[in-house]
Amino acid sequence: MDCNAAARLVAIFLFSPSCRLISLPQPLSPTGFVWDRHWMVINSKGRGCTQRVEPKLAMVQVELPLEAFSLGWKPNNSSYLVVRAPGMAELKVSLAKPCLLSDGVSVWEWSGSAWDEGDEAARWFTDYLGKPSRLVRFNEESETRPINPHYASGFNVKFTDLSPFHLISEASLDAVNEQLKEPISINRFRPNIFVNGCESFAEDLWKQIKINDSTFQNVMLCPRCKIPNINQEDGKHGSEPTATMMKFRSYKVLEVNTVTTQYRGRVYIGQMLVCEDSKGKIVSVGDIIEVESVFPSYADVAV
């Protein structure tokens, strides 16, 4: 495997809330791409809802104004997050700071307060999901959510699962699709950074890379939950690609270094990243991926 083959960034994806992909050039921030994972749907107990428990979220589409992706841009009263879904009227959520706070919001191990996007958004998601739901925004003014120190110390995220950035190569997706009866799209794996020009799974061993003068470090191989098995077009759940990938992308097959037992029994594709020097930086489609260092083998890669 040639881990140093020249690669290039071919797409940037955002997620807001736990719904479909948005592909746009992006400024960086210490917690990930600007506007990425700012929003989350919560249930009546304040617990975050994702496609794992609400597959219908796969069919929710969101749109942000193009100017929102300029460095230093600030929202005003006419700036909106637009939310759409089959059978639902369009929802407009103001990007100006909300007035309400929801306490006791939780996702995975974290709990705290979040901005509440109001009753109109709550009714929209309640009607769509068929159960009491609200839309909340991460409260950057008073809350922080540190990454698990087992993997990276001193970095924070918003409503992301594990780390601020997630990278997969096109060749890796192609290698998975070669084993499947029905090919799947990259949206099943939900990366932020999609690259091409390298060999399949070469990114597994990238220890440190640079994109447009910003340095990214490997946190861990990405353990896959059941979201890749959800068809992002209709929200239906199946057994693929996980069933097939278990034959060649499990931790036992790869013989990776399992720091904890939490992710044993998973399949792996893509890597989780942190960025050391994100302030004021932008990455764009077409940027070269400079591989600065690699791991000697899978035994040196943490999961």
Side-chain angles (χ1 to χ4, degrees):
M1 180 189 296
D2 183 1
C3 300
N4 295 294
R8 189 180 297 271
L9 201 162
V10 292
I12 300 168
F13 299 118
L14 302 186
F15 306 85
S16 295
S18 178
C19 307
R20 284 195 175 183
L21 308 168
I22 309 172
S23 180
L24 288 169
Q26 264 293 301
L28 303 175
S29 81
T31 56
F33 288 119
V34 171
W35 299 114
D36 186 37
R37 312 286 184 149
H38 275 229
W39 289 271
M40 180 173 67
V41 179
I42 59 173
N43 62 20
S44 59
K45 296 181 180 180
R47 187 71 180 168
C49 298
T50 72
Q51 292 182 33
R52 298 176 189 90
V53 294
E54 299 293 347
K56 284 183 68 176
L57 285 173
M59 295 184 287
V60 175
Q61 300 181 43
V62 293
E63 181 182 338
L64 286 158
L66 291 178
E67 59 269 22
F69 302 97
S70 301
L71 278 173
W73 181 84
K74 299 293 183 184
N76 54 49
N77 291 332
S78 60
S79 306
Y80 295 95
L81 171 76
V82 181
V83 186
R84 302 180 180 92
M88 299 292 294
E90 182 179 275
L91 171 68
K92 287 188 174 182
V93 178
S94 175
L95 292 180
K97 187 177 75 173
C99 299
L100 303 174
L101 274 176
S102 286
D103 294 319
V105 171
S106 62
V107 56
W108 296 113
E109 77 299 332
W110 177 89
S111 64
S113 68
W115 295 112
D116 192 303
E117 296 291 7
D119 291 341
E120 182 181 359
R123 284 192 296 271
W124 195 96
F125 279 98
T126 296
D127 291 344
Y128 181 65
L129 295 177
K131 59 188 68 174
S133 306
R134 300 194 73 84
L135 182 67
V136 296
R137 190 189 311 189
F138 196 86
N139 181 5
E140 296 178 280
E141 293 183 3
S142 65
E143 301 291 346
T144 56
R145 185 172 167 235
I147 293 177
N148 187 330
H150 276 296
Y151 301 105
S153 181
F155 293 92
N156 299 310
V157 291
K158 293 187 178 71
F159 291 135
T160 311
D161 279 350
L162 293 171
S163 71
F165 301 96
H166 173 203
L167 180 150
I168 295 179
S169 74
E170 188 174 40
S172 297
L173 173 67
D174 291 343
V176 171
N177 279 332
E178 287 175 2
Q179 303 297 318
L180 299 176
K181 292 181 179 179
E182 296 184 8
I184 59 174
S185 169
I186 190 59
N187 64 9
R188 293 286 194 100
F189 295 117
R190 299 164 61 82
N192 294 115
I193 301 170
F194 190 41
V195 307
N196 70 5
C198 63
E199 294 184 7
S200 58
F201 309 116
E203 69 271 23
D204 291 353
L205 300 183
W206 291 349
K207 186 175 183 180
Q208 182 170 295
I209 63 174
K210 184 168 283 187
I211 309 175
N212 194 24
D213 293 328
S214 290
T215 302
F216 295 80
Q217 290 188 332
N218 183 304
V219 172
M220 62 185 293
L221 286 181
C222 184
R224 312 314 307 205
C225 62
K226 61 184 180 182
I227 286 181
N229 294 340
I230 299 172
N231 187 318
Q232 299 296 295
E233 304 306 318
D234 59 19
K236 294 182 179 179
H237 190 277
S239 61
E240 295 291 5
T242 298
T244 295
M245 290 180 66
M246 192 64 71
K247 302 172 185 177
F248 67 103
R249 293 298 296 177
S250 71
Y251 89 96
K252 287 186 178 179
V253 173
L254 296 177
E255 297 183 342
V256 291
N257 175 23
T258 52
V259 176
T260 70
T261 60
Q262 181 179 2
Y263 301 116
R264 292 183 181 179
R266 302 282 189 93
V267 298
Y268 297 85
I269 184 172
Q271 63 162 281
M272 315 303 287
L273 302 163
V274 293
C275 183
E276 293 184 334
D277 46 3
S278 60
K279 189 175 181 180
K281 301 290 187 67
I282 294 178
V283 298
S284 304
V285 169
D287 285 346
I288 296 294
I289 311 299
E290 301 177 49
V291 180
E292 298 191 320
S293 62
V294 298
F295 292 104
S297 70
Y298 277 100
D300 300 285
V301 182
V303 299

